[in-house]
Structure formats: C-alpha cells, structure tokens
Amino acid sequence: MKKMRRTAIVALALPAALLAGRSGWAAELSTEQVRGALGAASPSKPADLAGKDLSDLDLSGIDFRGANLRGVSFFGSKLVLANLRGAKLEGANLNGAWLMGTDFTGADLTRASLLSVVILGGSVKKMPTFKDANMRGVKMIADLPGADLSGADFSGAMVGVNIKNQGMGQMRTDLSNANLSNAVLAGADFNRSLMTFCVLRGANLRGANFFRVKLGGADLTGADVTGANFTEADLEATVFRDAKGFADAIGLDKATNASSIRR
C-alpha cells in the first residue's frame, strides 16, 4: 500500500503526457530480483531485462553495464549513481527518474523518453553523464547545467518545448555550460532551450532548430551550422569561429544580439 501511494504521488506530480507508456502501478520485479539478474550475468551473456516494468524502484548504485534494457520502464525510479555504461536502452521510459550522478556513457538511448527527470535535490549533487551516448530520436526535458554530453548523438531528437502540449508549456531543457563538443545535433529540435556558455566545439548542428534558444557566450568553434535555424535565438557573444556553413545558417538576420557574434 505504501508503494502504491508513493507511485501515485510521483505520477500526480508529473504532467499527464509523461504517463504515456506507463504499464501499471507496480514493478514486475523487486530491487533484489533486479540485482540477482544482473549478478548472474556475464560479459558473454549480459542481463536481459528487456520490456520489464521497473518503475518506482530504488535502483541507486546498481551496475547495469551492458545490460539489455530495451523498452524498460524506469518511470519514477531512483537510478542515483547507477552505472548504465554501454547499456541498451532503446525506447526506455525514464520519465520522472532520479538521475543524479547516473553514468550513461556509451549507452544506447535511441527513442528513449527522459521527460521531467529529477537531476537536482538530494545529497548527490553530481550531474548525470551522457558522454558518447546514442540519443537519436530521444525526447528529453531536463535540467543538465554543466553536464558532459560530449560526443553524444542527438540526431532527430526532441529536446525543445513541445508547444502542442500545454502541460509542458513552461518546461524547457537547461544545458547551460554543458559540454556538447563533437556532439551530433543534426535535425534535432532544441527550440527555447537554455544553452548559455554551452560548449559546442566541432559539433554537427546541420539542420538543427535553435529557435529562441539562449546561446549567449556559447562556443561553436569549428561546428557545422549548415541549415541550422537561429531565428530569434539570443547570440550575445556567441563564438562562431571557423564554423562551417555559416553562410547557409537560417535566421541569423532575425536573431537577438547577432551583432555581437564572434567570428
């Protein structure tokens, strides 16, 4: 009864749209059973938890390295300081999950959902790491100031505000001071995100949507901005030194503080 009550509180605290894909009120496995499955795994036979509902569990500090977690629901679960390096998380539901210090280095998060994830608060202050992660087609709204997303592939991802979803209207991703060097954002939608002083050196930004994005002080040195949309973006002191395709970027004439761009 206590477990169901806590799950209900988490659910009520999130917009209704985040509940999509939620398969039930109780997890299929207990934390102990998850630990058992992972403990019985080996490099030649990784743990297979594909499709399981592991929502509302405390999985903090657990080692999921290389595990098959395709389609798993971690809705509202605590993954604080968990190790998901190289894990297969395609289509996983991480909505409302606690991700303080979680390591997603090299993980495959293709088409995963990370809406309203919990990053701030609690005793652990460390940001999650998404270095070299596959984030293609991911849906994400998160506060990740200063996080390491270097080399991550956000191709076709939806990270910006979904204006069709009124419940999410006031929420937006914060990537201020984040490291996105050499990341791939091709065709991704980052509209209205906060990306001040973000490091995008050498990143592939071809066709990305930066409509109304706060990019003041961001470093796009050597980035490919061909076809990227900067309409109404704030480009105060934004660095475009050696940027490729600058002449083919869209909306620079409609950007805010475009006169202070550094080339």
Side-chain angles (χ1 to χ4, degrees):
M1 188 67 176
K2 181 186 290 185
K3 180 175 180 178
M4 182 174 291
R5 186 181 302 115
R6 189 163 77 86
T7 307
I9 291 172
V10 172
L12 289 172
L14 296 168
L18 270 62
L19 303 179
R22 177 90 167 100
S23 58
W25 287 110
E28 293 181 50
L29 303 177
S30 66
T31 298
E32 291 69 26
Q33 288 173 316
V34 172
R35 288 184 184 276
L38 293 167
S42 66
S44 61
K45 190 175 182 181
D48 187 352
L49 297 168
K52 297 295 185 182
D53 186 346
L54 305 182
S55 57
D56 196 39
L57 292 179
D58 189 346
L59 304 169
S60 300
I62 290 183
D63 189 348
F64 288 95
R65 278 180 296 178
N68 179 3
L69 304 170
R70 294 182 176 92
V72 165
S73 175
F74 286 115
F75 179 92
S77 291
K78 291 183 178 180
L79 290 164
V80 180
L81 296 175
N83 188 346
L84 288 113
R85 295 173 69 96
K88 299 173 177 61
L89 289 149
E90 297 101 311
N93 179 0
L94 289 143
N95 295 342
W98 296 35
L99 304 181
M100 298 83 149
T102 311
D103 191 351
F104 290 100
T105 300
D108 189 346
L109 288 147
T110 305
R111 298 183 305 281
S113 184
L114 296 94
L115 303 178
S116 284
V117 294
V118 182
I119 304 296
L120 308 173
S123 59
V124 178
K125 307 301 180 184
K126 186 179 179 181
M127 283 285 121
T129 300
F130 293 93
K131 181 179 174 64
D132 296 324
N134 184 349
M135 311 285 283
R136 295 173 67 91
V138 75
K139 294 180 180 179
M140 184 173 80
I141 296 288
D143 288 323
L144 294 167
D148 186 358
L149 301 100
S150 57
D153 186 350
F154 280 91
S155 299
M158 180 60 189
V159 181
V161 175
N162 183 353
I163 59 175
K164 294 181 180 180
N165 188 336
Q166 297 301 314
M168 298 285 286
Q170 301 302 312
M171 303 174 69
R172 55 180 174 175
T173 293
D174 185 353
L175 293 168
S176 303
N177 296 289
N179 182 3
L180 282 152
S181 57
N182 299 311
V184 179
L185 280 63
D189 189 347
F190 281 76
N191 82 84
R192 298 174 175 82
S193 296
L194 304 176
M195 300 179 74
T196 54
F197 299 101
C198 184
V199 179
L200 289 154
R201 297 174 67 91
N204 178 354
L205 311 178
R206 295 176 68 94
N209 181 18
F210 294 111
F211 176 75
R212 290 190 182 175
V213 171
K214 302 292 185 181
L215 278 164
D219 187 356
L220 281 69
T221 299
D224 187 346
V225 297
T226 306
N229 182 7
F230 294 98
T231 301
E232 296 186 31
D234 187 346
L235 303 179
E236 183 175 6
T238 304
V239 180
F240 283 89
R241 192 170 295 113
D242 299 322
K244 305 175 183 68
F246 185 81
D248 297 315
I250 299 169
L252 288 172
D253 58 328
K254 299 177 182 177
T256 303
N257 296 314
S259 61
S260 68
I261 286 175
R262 297 179 181 177
R263 296 200 66 199

